[in-house]
Amino acid sequence: MASPAQQLPPGWAAEWDPANQRYLFIETASGHRQWEPPAMVPAAPADLVTSGSPPPTHHAKRRQYAAGQTHAYYGDAVAPDPNYGAMQPPPPAGGQLFTPGLAAENQFAQQQQPPQPYYGQPQPAPEYGNVPAYGPGPTAVGGGAVNALADQFGQMGMGGQKQFQLYTTNLLTSPPDPRELLQPPPEIRLPPNACISPSPHANAHPSYQRSTLNAIPTTSSLLNKAKVPLGLILTPYRSLDEGEEPVPVVTDTVIARCRRCRTYINPYVQFIDGGNRWRCCMCNMSNEVPQLFDWDQVRNQPGDRWSRAELNHAVVEFVAPTEYMVRPPQPAVYVFLIDVSHAAVQSGMVATATRTILENLDRIPDEDGRTKISIICYDTSLYFFSIPPGSADSTMLVVADVEDVFLPKPTDLLVNLVECRQSLETLLGRINGMFQDNMTVGSAMGPALQAGFKLMSHIGGKITVLSSSLPSVGQGALKNREDSKILGTSKESGLLQAASPFYKTFAIECSRAQVSVDMFLFSAAYQDVASLACLPHYTSGQTYYYPGFNAAKSEDAIKFAREFGDVLAMPIMLEAVMRVRASRGLRMASFHGNFFVRSTDLLAMPAVPQDQSYAIEIQIEETITTPFVVLQTAVLHTTCYGERRIRVITLALPTTSNLSEVFASADQVAIATLLANKAVERSLTHKLEDSRDHIFAKLVEVLTTYKTSMTAAGSGASAQLAISENLKMLPVLVLGLLKNVGIRQSAQIPPDIRAYSQALLTSLPSQLLIPYIYPNFYSLHNMPPDAGTVGEQGVIMPPPLPLTSERMERHGLYLIEDGQTMFLWIGRDAVPQLVADVFGLPNYEALRGGKTTLPVIDTPISQRISAVIQKTREMRRGVYYPHLYIVKEDGEQPLRLWALSALVQDRADVLPSYQQFIQTLKDKVNGVGSY
Amino acid sequence: MGGAGWLFLFAVLMAAALLFTSVFFIIMFSDLECDYINPIDLCNKLNQFVLPENGAHAFLTVLFLLSGQWIAFGLNLPLVVFNALKIQKNNHMFDATEIFRNIPDHKRESFIKLGFYLLSFFYYLYRMIVALIAESE
Ligand SMILES: [Zn+2]
């Protein structure tokens, strides 16, 4: 099929008409339609579009790459190496691999209207790969964005509050561009003088806290009209970017809080009465300024109020005085429960785990020398290790009675890391040997958990469970309930719920005693991840899953050791409670994430790991009369070095009574994150199908409202599918979510894999979640010459491609990654030179698919690809170290399908392609069909 | 006093007791919403009453069946089936981890039961009086 759209003059669009099997040409300005192609224009259309109107920056650029594809193989663009792929002309787009969508992607190539610049300000196309995904930290890397923001603030002081400009785009003619996802969310435009600080850090960075709407509707009827869900996505304890300033700490224990609503003082309060009182930004209460507020306790002299951290920073930590403690700060406690049954030892899990703990003993947080450690091994019995202080040796104590668990010794089981370092090291070195020939099959995980709990419940801390088998004896024993017959049916969601009440009641006990549980699961067989993940879910822990772990494969061992090591080294917030306060009129309605809801608005989190994300749905209870609202998250916690602290994160957002502003301020990334949380919740309370229908209906509602209230079409039918520019990626994100393993319609997904995926969907911060539902896709064999080399801001990434196999050439090499897994896809006609340079093998046939580590070869392309892969593994927060799989185009079917399932814009079985999805959306929005 | 009289006297007392449990449930849910009680204690407390309440109601219904009081039996049967289904699906107990998400549903259920017991109370009272009058005539 020739691609007529490529040759269209500007102002024309081509649409494939499946009924007539030919292209329909539409003059977009007038709506005129004709079958004959319009008169050709000799020059490249992209150039024409550029003149006169704002340049469609990235689209033009993308076409440029497409044109240059045949030349720019790698490195040397001037003298292209003819060896790679040039043996064969690139096949026509589409149709070669996987069932692509109905119409060629090319139909989109012609922009109907030049895209409007983002929010009225011409911005340069983002330097892809140099902008860290979603998280341009307030310092260093994000400099550009912050400066732009600061400029805005500067201008605002003069001209008053600027309105959000709404730019409508037609989804039928503008394909999703992955780069849009790297744009910062719609800018927060506060009214002048809302903030008392000129600091660029006075409002929370989206990586800490972001709202689905950056302009809050003043009434609930306006919110209901807009249909966009209102919610808050927060990652209060996110890790710092490299070079980022640590969170400022207020050490003088002068904590100014509102008497009525207990809000912490922040940059959005007002000082009144000559500075002696301050007016609360949430409830308007006038409060006294504490006496020592203006006193510099370090130098013992009057201080400058305006330089106080809590008045200049949206993210700040207070050192808490004793009123905030129910007991003296606890030490950090780590209890390891290691499965030493036959399967666990044989898979090499025990050896890898003990070695990793041993190697990371120095990294376990222990600044104050109080950290305590205990190791309990279990199969169908429990094995305790008694380490008397000062002794260089340990004694093993076996408890075979797992029905009524008791501790064999009152002391020396939970020991101080520093005092018993020597014997711990010896012990860790010996455990694998001790159980080398263990033939016991079965797992007393429940009793082991109870024992670990007994050991530490008077202090609190973290239990880390490493398990290779389904719990089979004692409390919490589970049955294999995997039944392939009910997969894909309405009963499937039952498999995603806890099978035994033990995992909920024990989780509650843990939460009460400030104990958090982390699960590391390794089984090749059914392990009931859904039940086991309950413990981390309600105790603010995290589940990690390594299905079919085999340490004999170095990739498996490296991945687990890296991730486990990082988890061990991670600083944690102990004994934490979190509360989100908001201006009058707003109410936190429901909570999603790993915690226990202890009262209507108090979230109990025994040990908060870094980079765990939570979502809160917000209701508008009464009409908001203020020009802006404030949402403040406070996490009262004990640091792992024994200091009681309060982390406070303040986000101020303008309010609006204008529907178009509500749309223009919507943050598609935050909405997708909230929808992922809601979808998982619904799949548990209802059915998987209901959950898919629910988020799809949500999207239809948004699009319908947009059409009826924001476009000329009103309630009539429309040939367009309109949405605002800032929500352009929402449909494809929803499609990605509908196709995610955790939600997808399929009768082939094992319940364990689904449950793990759901655990990820509800705990990953947006930065990791977005690639997880909308993966990144790069072409490597023809990446631009600078990609994979080190630029000013680290390794430069190739431009991301839309997720469709139409982009694949038979001789190509591609990287598909979702933050959890990476696929290196190689086409069947890959030239031997490419295979030799990247993999060190003579030809394509010699290459084997599967988990792999790329060999280090001294060729430029190999080094650049390694750099890209390395950067992919490092550029996001979190401990995840994705596996790399080589996928051959004609290789093993399951692996191929797995890799191709990441290309969410393609059709797969019953799941629609992006074009089909958009078409269905259009029909629904126009009232055709029912849902 | 004959059989029917005694039966409905007993039913009146039972309905009053069930009425009180419903009121108790509703008060406890309001306490939870006002943060006077934490969800764990609330669930521990309420869960003690769930099965006795269902059992008492089922017992009363069986008495109606045995004594051939078809109207009273028919009125109570739907609630017995509803309770039995919940027990069969194993979601009759209150779950502390989900309580805040489900509290509107729980409250609604308690209010409906409250209304039902109230109406039954008056109905049994009426039937008791009718039985007594019939006897004295
Ligand atoms: Zn206040």
Side-chain angles (χ1 to χ4, degrees):
Chain A
M1 51 183 148
S3 46
Q6 288 286 34
Q7 300 133 33
L8 285 178
W12 283 85
E15 199 173 317
W16 179 252
D17 185 344
N20 291 295
Q21 289 296 309
R22 59 192 289 196
Y23 277 93
L24 182 65
F25 296 92
I26 307 163
E27 192 178 5
T28 47
S30 63
H32 171 73
R33 292 153 167 262
Q34 62 185 44
W35 291 116
E36 299 75 31
M40 296 297 172
V41 178
D47 297 336
L48 283 182
V49 176
T50 337
S51 57
S53 54
T57 353
H58 31 260
H59 293 105
K61 203 166 182 181
R62 174 160 16 105
R63 262 203 299 282
Q64 214 175 340
Y65 285 141
Q69 261 172 7
T70 39
H71 310 292
Y73 282 109
Y74 64 82
D76 196 357
V78 187
D81 188 336
N83 284 335
Y84 296 159
M87 295 159 86
Q88 181 176 338
Q96 70 269 47
L97 278 177
F98 203 58
T99 326
L102 280 177
E105 217 270 337
N106 286 337
Q107 80 177 60
F108 291 132
Q110 188 69 43
Q111 276 290 343
Q112 186 190 23
Q113 294 160 339
Q116 303 290 342
Y118 217 71
Y119 283 113
Q121 277 210 331
Q123 285 187 355
E127 224 8 274
Y128 192 77
N130 296 347
V131 182
Y134 317 113
T139 55
V141 278
V146 174
N147 288 344
L149 207 73
D151 288 350
Q152 298 276 2
F153 276 114
Q155 291 167 16
M156 258 166 36
M158 303 299 288
Q161 185 181 2
K162 278 195 293 183
Q163 297 293 305
F164 284 97
Q165 279 298 318
L166 189 69
Y167 297 103
T168 298
T169 180
N170 182 359
L171 287 168
L172 296 177
T173 49
S174 52
D177 182 343
R179 270 179 262 210
E180 302 256 342
L181 291 172
L182 298 172
Q183 299 277 3
E187 175 207 330
I188 296 168
R189 295 178 177 171
L190 290 168
N193 306 324
C195 181
I196 56 174
S197 163
S199 161
H201 307 300
N203 215 351
H205 190 266
S207 55
Y208 280 107
Q209 186 162 318
R210 66 200 297 170
S211 166
T212 55
L213 295 174
N214 276 344
I216 303 288
T218 47
T219 60
S220 61
S221 63
L222 181 63
L223 177 64
N224 291 340
K225 199 176 166 201
K227 302 286 183 198
V228 184
L230 177 58
L232 198 62
I233 309 298
L234 51 157
T235 312
Y237 198 32
R238 77 149 169 81
S239 52
L240 295 173
D241 293 324
E242 214 172 303
E244 190 181 343
E245 295 274 323
V247 173
V249 183
V250 180
T251 51
D252 59 7
T253 66
V254 177
I255 303 177
R257 295 178 70 180
C258 174
R259 270 187 298 141
R260 188 195 291 157
C261 68
R262 310 302 291 149
T263 296
Y264 294 82
I265 200 165
N266 59 64
Y268 300 93
V269 302
Q270 270 181 320
F271 285 101
I272 48 173
D273 194 13
N276 289 322
R277 304 183 73 81
W278 59 278
R279 191 179 288 286
C280 173
C281 53
M282 304 225 184
C283 69
N284 249 342
M285 178 87 180
S286 154
N287 297 281
E288 257 175 60
V289 173
Q291 281 188 336
L292 291 172
F293 199 67
D294 299 313
W295 186 257
D296 187 338
Q297 288 182 12
V298 181
R299 295 201 205 101
N300 222 6
Q301 63 182 44
D304 176 14
R305 170 184 300 185
W306 303 104
S307 66
R308 285 190 72 97
E310 66 266 46
L311 295 182
N312 290 293
H313 290 266
V315 184
V316 67
E317 259 179 27
F318 294 94
V319 173
T322 45
E323 297 99 273
Y324 292 85
M325 303 174 196
V326 279
R327 56 176 180 176
Q330 56 168 326
V333 173
Y334 294 85
V335 172
F336 297 97
L337 306 180
I338 305 174
D339 181 356
V340 290
S341 63
H342 181 69
V345 177
Q346 289 312 308
S347 71
M349 182 276 278
V350 178
T352 318
T354 46
R355 200 183 58 238
T356 310
I357 301 175
L358 182 62
E359 282 168 1
N360 287 285
L361 281 178
D362 280 329
R363 291 174 75 205
I364 292 178
D366 189 21
E367 282 94 333
D368 58 355
R370 297 198 301 157
T371 300
K372 289 174 189 288
I373 281 197
S374 174
I375 294 167
I376 302 173
C377 295
Y378 66 94
D379 43 33
T380 52
S381 310
L382 306 182
Y383 307 91
F384 295 85
F385 298 94
S386 156
I387 309 173
S391 128
D393 215 0
S394 54
T395 341
M396 183 162 86
L397 303 157
V398 186
V399 172
D401 175 15
V402 295
E403 289 309 319
D404 186 20
V405 179
F406 62 93
L407 298 179
K409 217 172 163 224
T411 51
D412 302 336
L413 296 177
L414 183 64
V415 297
N416 184 291
L417 175 56
V418 183
E419 287 168 18
C420 299
R421 178 66 186 260
Q422 207 65 54
S423 30
L424 270 172
E425 282 182 11
T426 327
L427 173 62
L428 285 164
R430 281 174 44 213
I431 286 180
N432 190 52
M434 281 184 222
F435 297 97
Q436 190 64 62
D437 303 317
N438 190 356
M439 298 306 284
T440 316
V441 175
S443 153
M445 184 206 277
L449 280 164
Q450 289 174 317
F453 180 76
K454 279 210 167 117
L455 206 53
M456 66 189 305
S457 60
H458 60 291
I459 310 175
K462 214 169 196 16
I463 297 181
T464 305
V465 184
L466 301 124
S467 168
S468 284
S469 32
L470 187 69
S472 60
V473 286
Q475 287 274 313
L478 295 167
K479 289 192 187 68
N480 186 345
R481 53 178 175 153
E482 186 176 29
D483 179 1
S484 57
K485 281 197 288 299
I486 65 170
L487 296 184
T489 70
S490 59
K491 287 198 181 130
E492 190 178 358
S493 71
L495 296 179
L496 302 172
Q497 288 156 2
S500 154
F502 171 79
Y503 292 95
K504 274 192 175 176
T505 51
F506 186 71
I508 291 171
E509 262 181 75
C510 285
S511 181
R512 268 202 157 167
Q514 306 296 345
V515 172
S516 163
V517 181
D518 272 352
M519 283 278 171
F520 287 81
L521 306 174
F522 302 89
S523 177
Y526 180 69
Q527 204 174 2
D528 207 343
V529 173
S531 297
L532 301 182
C534 253
L535 287 177
H537 179 66
Y538 293 113
T539 62
S540 75
Q542 190 76 45
T543 305
Y544 301 89
Y545 186 35
Y546 307 87
F549 179 81
N550 179 5
K553 281 189 201 138
S554 62
E555 287 82 19
D556 277 10
I558 289 170
K559 177 183 165 72
F560 166 56
R562 289 280 298 238
E563 295 183 356
F564 187 38
D566 284 354
V567 171
L568 290 175
M570 183 190 284
I572 46 178
M573 285 179 167
L574 300 161
E575 206 173 341
V577 284
M578 178 161 85
R579 180 173 264 135
V580 181
R581 294 183 177 83
S583 295
R584 198 190 303 169
L586 296 178
R587 190 176 79 88
M588 303 300 128
S590 59
F591 304 90
H592 306 271
N594 292 2
F595 42 65
F596 174 63
V597 189
R598 197 192 282 168
S599 77
T600 38
D601 62 344
L602 189 70
L603 310 174
M605 304 192 285
V608 189
Q610 281 191 323
D611 299 316
Q612 197 173 60
S613 176
Y614 317 98
I616 301 177
E617 284 172 75
I618 302 175
Q619 263 177 12
I620 300 177
E621 278 194 317
E622 49 187 284
T623 305
I624 303 167
T625 48
T626 48
F628 69 97
V629 293
V630 178
L631 295 146
Q632 188 178 67
T633 306
V635 188
L636 174 61
H637 66 278
T638 304
T639 63
C640 34
Y641 44 90
E643 194 167 41
R644 199 71 176 147
R645 284 194 180 186
I646 310 152
R647 177 171 286 210
V648 176
I649 299 162
T650 311
L651 176 69
L653 297 168
T655 56
T656 179
S657 52
N658 186 336
L659 189 58
S660 82
E661 280 206 324
V662 174
F663 280 115
S665 73
D667 176 354
Q668 53 194 0
V669 167
I671 295 173
T673 314
L674 181 63
L675 287 180
N677 278 282
K678 280 174 74 96
V680 171
E681 190 209 311
R682 220 176 159 79
S683 74
L684 298 178
T685 55
H686 295 67
K687 291 177 215 148
L688 276 161
E689 195 184 349
D690 288 339
S691 112
R692 289 188 293 266
D693 291 350
H694 179 74
I695 49 174
F696 181 70
K698 198 80 217 155
L699 178 63
V700 172
E701 279 176 2
V702 172
L703 290 166
T704 311
T705 320
Y706 194 89
K707 188 198 75 166
T708 47
S709 51
M710 291 295 129
T711 67
S715 53
S718 165
Q720 298 196 340
L721 186 61
I723 192 66
S724 58
E725 186 72 26
N726 53 310
L727 288 177
K728 209 173 112 184
M729 293 300 281
L730 188 60
V732 82
L733 289 176
V734 169
L735 179 65
L737 184 56
L738 290 171
K739 291 187 172 190
N740 187 278
V741 182
I743 308 290
R744 186 198 300 162
Q745 177 184 359
S746 165
Q748 260 99 46
I749 299 172
D752 276 355
I753 301 280
R754 250 213 222 284
Y756 177 61
S757 171
Q758 293 201 337
L760 289 178
L761 286 173
T762 51
S763 61
L764 291 180
S766 298
Q767 190 205 37
L768 283 141
L769 182 83
I770 295 302
Y772 189 53
I773 58 177
Y774 187 81
N776 282 323
F777 179 34
Y778 307 108
S779 174
L780 297 181
H781 61 291
N782 55 6
M783 56 183 170
D786 60 345
T789 61
V790 179
E792 267 173 46
Q793 284 152 341
V795 174
I796 298 167
M797 296 295 278
L801 302 176
L803 285 171
T804 160
S805 55
E806 287 161 33
R807 291 287 169 148
M808 284 185 172
E809 295 172 309
R810 276 166 175 253
H811 61 270
L813 178 67
Y814 300 89
L815 179 68
I816 311 170
E817 64 91 17
D818 67 359
Q820 303 294 323
T821 322
M822 292 191 282
F823 300 103
L824 209 48
W825 176 284
I826 182 151
R828 70 176 84 199
D829 294 332
V831 290
Q833 189 65 48
L834 181 70
V835 180
D837 284 1
V838 178
F839 302 101
L841 291 167
N843 54 37
Y844 176 78
E845 282 69 31
L847 192 61
R848 300 195 64 82
K851 255 177 235 173
T852 189
T853 312
L854 273 193
V856 182
I857 300 171
D858 195 19
T859 58
I861 184 121
S862 166
Q863 284 164 3
R864 285 167 60 210
I865 289 177
S866 296
V868 166
I869 287 170
Q870 187 67 16
K871 167 107 179 175
T872 303
R873 282 183 168 143
E874 288 167 358
M875 67 184 175
R876 302 193 187 102
R877 302 200 168 86
V879 300
Y880 301 101
Y881 185 81
H883 268 313
L884 178 68
Y885 289 86
I886 291 181
V887 187
K888 292 174 74 176
E889 190 187 330
D890 54 3
E892 293 169 69
Q893 187 74 351
L895 188 59
R896 275 189 59 229
L897 289 178
W898 185 16
L900 288 172
S901 73
L903 300 177
V904 298
Q905 282 169 238
D906 279 336
R907 194 167 76 84
D909 293 335
V910 287
L911 306 170
S913 71
Y914 180 70
Q915 282 85 356
Q916 288 170 322
F917 185 68
I918 286 292
Q919 206 59 44
T920 320
L921 281 174
K922 186 187 152 206
D923 292 346
K924 297 269 188 224
V925 167
N926 281 332
V928 184
S930 58
Y931 63 91
Chain B
M1 201 153 76
W6 283 113
L7 176 66
F8 281 105
L9 176 63
F10 179 69
V12 165
L13 295 177
M14 284 291 262
L18 290 171
L19 207 61
F20 277 118
T21 46
S22 289
V23 172
F24 171 67
F25 275 39
I26 291 167
I27 292 173
M28 292 300 274
F29 289 137
S30 310
D31 278 3
L32 180 67
E33 283 179 322
C34 304
D35 290 349
Y36 294 144
I37 187 168
N38 75 57
I40 306 168
D41 292 342
L42 172 107
C43 291
N44 289 343
K45 236 178 210 171
L46 294 193
N47 282 338
Q48 296 172 0
F49 289 92
V50 173
L51 284 179
E53 190 224 306
N54 293 355
H57 181 257
F59 176 66
L60 189 61
T61 313
V62 170
L63 279 188
F64 288 137
L65 174 70
L66 294 179
S67 56
Q69 296 290 347
W70 301 116
I71 299 178
F73 173 71
L75 285 176
N76 282 290
L77 190 63
L79 184 59
V80 173
V81 173
F82 174 76
N83 286 336
L85 280 178
K86 266 179 93 173
I87 293 171
Q88 196 204 346
K89 281 191 208 145
N90 205 16
N91 63 355
H92 56 293
M93 290 296 188
F94 296 100
D95 178 355
T97 56
E98 303 288 329
I99 190 89
F100 283 104
R101 197 164 289 154
N102 300 330
I103 202 163
D105 296 342
H106 291 320
K107 269 181 103 171
R108 198 178 53 220
E109 191 186 313
S110 294
F111 270 112
I112 292 173
K113 278 189 174 173
L114 178 73
F116 176 76
Y117 292 141
L118 198 65
L119 289 177
S120 343
F121 176 81
F122 286 115
Y123 175 70
Y124 302 151
L125 199 62
Y126 164 75
R127 289 294 305 265
M128 186 182 81
I129 294 166
V130 168
L132 287 177
I133 292 169
E135 252 173 69
S136 62
E137 272 170 4

